[in-house]
Amino acid sequence: MKFASVALSALAVSLAAPAMADHHAETSEAAVSVYPMTPQGAADWVAMVEQDMFDFSVEYGRVLWLNNTYIVHDSNQLAAKYGAQATEKSVTYANEAAQYARVAGLDPEVARKLDILRNGIVMPAPVRDGAATELNEIATKLGAAYGQGTGTLNGEEINGSDIEAEMGNLERTPAELAEMWTSWHDNVGAPMREDYQRMIAIANEGSKELGFADLGAMWRSNYDMDPDQFAGETERMWQEVKPLYMALHTYVRSKLNEKYGDDVQPATGAIRADLLGNMWAQEWGNIYPLVAPEGAGDIGYDLTDLITAKGLDEIQMVRTGEQFFSSLGFEPLPGTFWERSQFVKPQDRDVVCHASAWDVDNVDDLRIKMCIKKNADDFVTIHHELGHNYYQRAYNQQDYLHLNGANDGFHEAIGDMIALSITPEYLVQIDMLDEADVPSADKDIGLLLRQAMDKVAFLPFGLMVDRYRWQLFDGSIPADQLNTGWNALRLEYQGITPPVARDESEFDAGAKYHIPGNVPYTRYFLARILQFQFYKAACDQAGWDGPLHRCSFYGNEEVGKNLDAMLEMGASKPWPDALEAFTGERQMSGAAMVEYFAPLKAWLDEQNAGKTEGW
C-alpha cells in the first residue's frame, strides 16, 4: 500500500505490509460467492478491492505519519494495530488474486492488476492464527528501535542524525570514526539480530504460501519479467558500470593511504569502512577534499557555503527545490504541504529522521519528512524527495493499483535526475553562484570526481543489500552466518572491510535503515542507472550542446511536458513502455552513466597506472 514514501517506507510499495490475514479461507469463500470466477466477476472483485484499499490507505497513512513523527508507546500501538489490519486486507487479497488470475479470458488490465496484487507484498505471513500480529509487532519494534538508535563520540551519546553528519566530518580522527562506526553498529544492529531472523522466517513462510520459491523470488517478481531474468538484468547493468567503480576504488584507496598511512589504510586491498565519510560507506562525497585532484580539484565553490551565504533556512531550501519543478511547468506544491510536512527535527520528541516523501490521501496531501540540515547533502536530498511528490501527484488520476512508479527504480530516479541539474550554470540561474565563479573546463575532472564519489561509489552497495537478503531468504547464507555473510558481500562487491573485528554476536546489516525497515533496495541501484538515462534524454530534448555533465534543463517546459507524460502513466503500463515514453528506449542501461563519466574514467586510469586494482 502506498501510505508513505514510495522511496523509503516499508509500507510504500503496493501492498507492502509486514504480515497477513488469519482468516483467509473464510474470506476467500465469501469473495467467490459475491464475485464469481468469471472475467466479469474478476473485474468486479478488483474494483471492490481498489476502493476498499484506497479508503483504508488514507486513514492508515495518517497513523503512519503520526508514528514516524511522534514515536511514543501509543503511536507504536496504533501502527501495529493498523499494520495488522492492512495485512489482513493485503495478503487476503493477494491470495484471492491468485485464484482469479487463473480465470480464462481476463481483460488484460484486470490481469495486470491481479499480478500487482499478488506480487506487491513486501513481507507476507503464512495463513495461521497469530502470524499477522506477531510479524507486525516485530516490524514496529524494529522500526522504533532504529529511530531511537544512538552511538557514541568520545564516550558521549550521539543520536542517529548527528552521528551520520559527524561521520562526514574530516576533522574527526580515525579513532573517533572507528568509535562512531562501532558503537552505532553495536547499539543499533546487534540487538535486532534475533527479532530480525524471526521476522524473515515468518515472511519467507508466507511467500511460499503465495506460490514463490522464497521471499527474494517474490520481491524480484515485481518487475514485469521472470525473477531470475530480472536478477540477470541487474547483473548486466552492474557489469556495464563496474569498471568505473573499480577505477574509483583504486584511486580513493591510494589517497586514503597517503592521508593516514599503512597502519590505518594499506595501499592495497580493501578500504576501511569508516574512512569514507559515511556510516555505511555507500557514498563517499564527504571526503572529496581528501581526494581532490591537484589543479582541477578546486571546483570554485562549495554548495554548503553557498547555502550559508544565501542565508537559506530549511524551508527556503525546500522552496528552491520546488522552484526547479515549477520552472519545468509543474504546478506549485499545495499549501498543505507547507503546513503538514516535517522539515526540521523536533526538540521535544523522537522521530524517524530518515528522509521520506508522502501522499497521505492519494490525491494531493503531499508531504516530506526530514530533519533538514543546511548543507549540500540535504539540498540534494530535498530535490530527491520532491521528485517522489511530483511523481505521486502526476499519476493521482490512475486507478489505485496503478498509483506507483513504473517500477520502484523510476520513483527513486526522478528526483535524482533533477539533482543532476544542480550544475554551476543552474546555480547562476537561481542567483546562488556568481557567474564569475563558474568553474572553467579545466575543472571538469574535479566536478566529475565529486559526482562519482556519490553516484559511482554507491553502485555496488545498491546491488549487494538485496543480494544479501536474497541469500538469507533462500538459505545461501545460513542463520548462524548472518554477520559473516553481510561482511563477505561488502568485501566482494564494495571492497570494504570493517574498522574492527566483527563476529556472529553482531548484526551489522541491521544498522542500515532499510534492513529492519524491510525496504527492498535494488530500486536504488536501478535509480542510479535510470537517473542518467533520464538525464541524457532530458538534455537531448533540451538541445543541450556541451559536455553532458554540465547540462541543466532548468526552465525548459518542453522537457517538463515530456517528463509529465511518463510520470502520469504511473504503474498502468509495464515499465519498458514508460521508459520508452520519455527516453525512446525499452531497456535500462548504464550507457548514459558511462558516457557522463567517460572523461573521469580516462583520467582515473592515468592516475592508477602501476597501482594494484581490486582487493
Side-chain angles (χ1 to χ4, degrees):
M1 292 181 174
K2 297 155 288 298
F3 305 120
S5 158
V6 179
L8 297 174
S9 169
L11 295 170
V13 183
S14 297
L15 310 178
M20 91 151 269
D22 293 332
H23 306 292
H24 161 67
E26 294 89 340
T27 306
S28 293
E29 292 173 4
V32 172
S33 67
V34 178
Y35 304 101
M37 288 290 174
T38 65
Q40 187 59 50
D44 293 342
W45 178 83
V46 166
M48 177 276 295
V49 168
E50 289 194 283
Q51 186 61 58
D52 181 50
M53 294 177 68
F54 185 102
D55 294 342
F56 179 78
S57 73
V58 176
E59 186 173 2
Y60 189 19
R62 291 174 179 141
V63 169
L64 286 174
W65 178 264
L66 174 64
N67 187 229
N68 274 258
T69 60
Y70 207 106
I71 302 174
V72 294
H73 171 78
D74 292 323
S75 66
N76 286 342
Q77 292 299 306
L78 280 172
K81 174 185 175 182
Y82 274 83
Q85 292 177 23
T87 293
E88 186 163 351
K89 292 177 183 294
S90 63
V91 184
T92 294
Y93 288 155
N95 280 281
E96 292 173 357
Q99 297 180 46
Y100 284 108
R102 294 194 292 267
V103 173
L106 289 172
D107 177 85
E109 184 170 339
V110 171
R112 179 174 172 77
K113 288 181 177 179
L114 291 170
D115 283 342
I116 291 172
L117 283 165
R118 177 173 173 264
N119 295 343
I121 307 167
V122 170
M123 297 294 282
V127 180
R128 55 179 171 79
D129 288 345
T133 300
E134 181 181 9
L135 201 49
N136 270 287
E137 286 177 350
I138 295 174
T140 300
K141 177 183 177 181
L142 293 181
Y146 189 93
Q148 295 169 324
T150 62
T152 65
L153 174 58
N154 294 318
E156 299 293 325
E157 185 174 273
I158 180 172
N159 67 40
S161 177
D162 290 340
I163 202 171
E164 285 189 40
E166 285 301 320
M167 287 296 293
N169 184 346
L170 294 178
E171 296 181 3
R172 294 298 172 194
T173 66
E176 289 173 323
L177 294 171
E179 178 196 358
M180 288 189 288
W181 189 99
T182 304
S183 63
W184 178 258
H185 285 76
D186 287 352
N187 294 352
V188 178
M192 296 179 177
R193 183 182 173 105
E194 185 176 342
D195 282 336
Y196 185 78
Q197 287 181 299
R198 175 60 181 161
M199 179 174 65
I200 65 170
I202 297 170
N204 222 22
E205 186 182 348
S207 69
K208 291 175 182 177
E209 289 193 0
L210 285 172
F212 298 95
D214 56 69
L215 187 56
M218 184 173 174
W219 287 9
R220 298 191 300 276
S221 294
N222 211 26
Y223 291 94
D224 298 303
M225 61 178 61
D226 176 82
D228 291 340
Q229 182 186 1
F230 175 69
E233 280 292 284
T234 60
E235 181 64 26
R236 174 187 58 77
M237 287 181 271
W238 166 235
Q239 292 302 323
E240 286 180 323
V241 295
K242 184 178 178 180
L244 269 174
Y245 179 79
M246 298 300 290
L248 181 67
H249 182 282
T250 303
Y251 175 77
V252 169
R253 181 183 59 198
S254 69
K255 290 296 183 179
L256 291 174
N257 173 253
E258 291 177 15
K259 167 72 175 177
Y260 295 115
D262 291 343
D263 290 343
V264 173
Q265 177 55 60
T268 60
I271 297 176
R272 210 176 94 171
D274 59 325
L275 302 180
L276 289 162
N278 175 274
M279 181 63 76
W280 306 279
Q282 67 183 62
E283 293 171 325
W284 306 347
N286 286 326
I287 68 162
Y288 174 75
L290 297 183
V291 304
E294 293 183 15
D298 178 9
I299 62 175
Y301 68 93
D302 179 273
L303 184 51
T304 298
D305 291 344
L306 296 181
I307 292 167
T308 302
K310 189 74 172 177
L312 298 181
D313 62 24
E314 295 84 356
I315 293 179
Q316 288 171 326
M317 289 170 66
V318 182
R319 292 280 188 188
T320 303
E322 178 193 36
Q323 179 183 325
F324 195 113
F325 288 90
S326 296
S327 82
L328 301 180
F330 290 92
E331 292 296 316
L333 292 164
T336 53
F337 172 88
W338 304 102
E339 298 164 6
R340 299 170 184 171
S341 290
Q342 174 188 291
F343 299 114
V344 297
K345 187 180 188 302
Q347 298 300 307
D348 61 342
R349 62 186 187 270
D350 288 323
V351 300
V352 177
C353 276
H354 198 94
S356 55
W358 300 59
D359 180 6
V360 176
D361 67 354
N362 301 316
V363 181
D364 212 31
D365 190 354
L366 305 171
R367 311 177 190 184
I368 62 171
K369 175 186 61 60
M370 292 183 64
C371 299
I372 296 172
K373 296 182 182 296
K374 291 179 282 188
N375 59 34
D377 284 349
D378 280 5
F379 188 74
V380 172
T381 298
I382 286 165
H383 285 74
H384 174 96
E385 297 304 332
L386 291 181
H388 290 299
N389 284 145
Y390 282 94
Y391 204 164
Q392 288 164 331
R393 184 163 65 178
Y395 59 56
N396 67 11
Q397 298 301 307
Q398 294 287 349
D399 294 343
Y400 180 81
L401 289 173
H402 294 157
L403 295 176
N404 212 332
N407 69 37
D408 50 14
F410 275 64
H411 236 299
E412 296 301 325
I414 297 304
D416 283 346
M417 174 189 72
I418 300 298
L420 285 174
S421 264
I422 302 177
T423 62
E425 286 79 6
Y426 162 62
L427 295 173
V428 170
Q429 287 178 288
I430 62 172
D431 196 30
M432 285 187 67
L433 180 68
D434 291 333
E435 191 165 3
D437 293 328
V438 172
S440 55
D442 63 347
K443 306 294 187 182
D444 278 5
I445 294 301
L447 289 164
L448 286 170
L449 180 58
R450 178 61 185 85
Q451 280 278 43
M453 293 290 283
D454 287 340
K455 303 295 187 181
V456 177
F458 178 83
L459 292 168
F461 186 80
L463 201 64
M464 60 81 55
V465 171
D466 273 354
R467 273 167 165 61
Y468 170 71
R469 287 186 286 194
W470 295 348
Q471 292 183 36
L472 286 182
F473 301 152
D474 70 15
S476 298
I477 297 177
D480 62 355
Q481 294 181 28
L482 203 67
N483 212 43
T484 301
W486 170 258
N487 285 307
L489 281 173
R490 294 204 73 186
L491 180 62
E492 176 186 349
Y493 279 94
Q494 290 183 278
I496 298 298
T497 190
V500 298
R502 310 301 286 167
D503 60 35
E504 282 305 321
S505 68
E506 309 291 346
F507 178 40
D508 292 345
K512 175 61 180 171
Y513 168 83
H514 301 75
I515 299 290
N518 298 314
V519 183
Y521 210 76
T522 302
R523 64 185 64 174
Y524 301 107
F525 173 78
L526 297 180
R528 282 299 196 276
I529 299 294
L530 284 168
Q531 65 186 262
F532 288 93
Q533 199 166 357
F534 292 158
Y535 178 72
K536 177 173 169 52
C539 292
D540 288 346
Q541 293 166 23
W544 176 259
D545 183 18
L548 183 58
H549 63 274
R550 283 181 174 261
C551 165
S552 176
F553 47 87
Y554 176 81
N556 192 299
E557 294 193 3
E558 182 65 22
V559 171
K561 178 182 176 182
N562 295 336
L563 178 62
D564 190 55
M566 176 177 72
L567 300 185
E568 68 182 9
M569 293 170 68
S572 64
K573 302 291 183 184
W575 64 260
D577 293 349
L579 182 66
E580 186 177 30
F582 186 59
T583 70
E585 301 170 310
R586 295 186 61 82
Q587 184 180 58
M588 293 181 286
S589 170
M593 188 180 204
V594 171
E595 177 184 344
Y596 184 97
F597 287 109
L600 176 66
K601 176 60 165 60
W603 182 85
L604 288 172
D605 289 344
E606 293 176 2
Q607 306 305 306
N608 294 337
K611 297 187 173 82
T612 301
E613 185 176 81
W615 45 88

